[in-house]
Amino acid sequence: MMDRSRALEEQRQLAFHGVVILLLGLMAGIGFSVAAATAEVSNPSYGAWRFAHMEGLLNGVLVLAVAGVWLRMNLDGRGIHLARYLLVLGCYANIIGPIINALFIGKRLIVPETNFEAFVVYGFYIPGTLPLISFVIFAFNLFARRRP
């Protein structure tokens, strides 16, 4: 059985990272506000800042939600700590990549055309899918029977 103080520390760390990611999303909202005030809605910069803002907000809330249920999970389960790292890493990638895109590229990145765009796509957007893996592990551990 996991030590309760360690579980509480992990919960605190998750909450901390969730707040930092949420803060980055709120700060991206400043760029979104500037783009909304100075550019048309059809401008790619407007969409890039909106994307960065929403990614930060949603990923921050996601990490905070996991922190909220952390003590209810089977923390002795297989892969739970790897899933925690994958969640945090993926959620940071999900906010940092769009901020870099909004600051320096300013367009929708689906197919990278330059080396820098490829760096953002493959260095941040692809790792941004890691929370999907973590949630599969969380689901199995959350609903697993605890051993007596």
Side-chain angles (χ1 to χ4, degrees):
M1 180 119 194
M2 175 180 250
D3 180 24
R4 181 152 173 88
S5 63
R6 181 174 170 207
L8 287 170
E9 178 62 20
E10 289 175 349
Q11 183 183 39
R12 187 196 65 75
Q13 289 172 356
L14 277 170
F16 171 77
H17 289 295
V19 168
V20 170
I21 293 166
L22 190 62
L23 178 64
L24 289 171
L26 289 170
M27 290 172 53
I30 295 170
F32 177 50
S33 297
V34 170
T38 59
E40 294 183 22
V41 177
S42 61
N43 188 325
S45 176
Y46 176 87
W49 278 111
R50 182 180 64 193
F51 181 63
H53 177 57
M54 293 308 297
E55 282 289 324
L57 294 180
L58 293 174
N59 281 278
V61 170
L62 178 71
V63 175
L64 286 172
V66 171
V69 298
W70 187 249
L71 298 177
R72 298 285 181 205
M73 286 195 211
N74 179 9
L75 298 177
D76 293 323
R78 295 176 53 170
I80 192 77
H81 299 291
L82 173 65
R84 180 172 58 100
Y85 288 116
L86 292 177
L87 173 71
V88 172
L89 178 67
C91 287
Y92 273 116
N94 274 333
I95 182 58
I96 294 171
I99 287 176
I100 291 172
N101 178 22
L103 283 172
F104 302 112
I105 300 169
K107 67 176 184 176
R108 190 169 180 192
L109 282 180
I110 295 177
V111 177
E113 298 171 358
T114 67
N115 288 337
F116 186 61
E117 290 176 5
F119 168 72
V120 172
V121 169
Y122 298 119
F124 294 99
Y125 287 2
I126 300 299
T129 62
L130 292 174
L132 296 172
I133 299 167
S134 69
F135 272 89
V136 171
I137 297 170
F138 288 150
F140 281 110
N141 281 286
L142 187 60
F143 298 110
R145 294 185 116 204
R146 292 185 190 252
R147 292 185 186 122

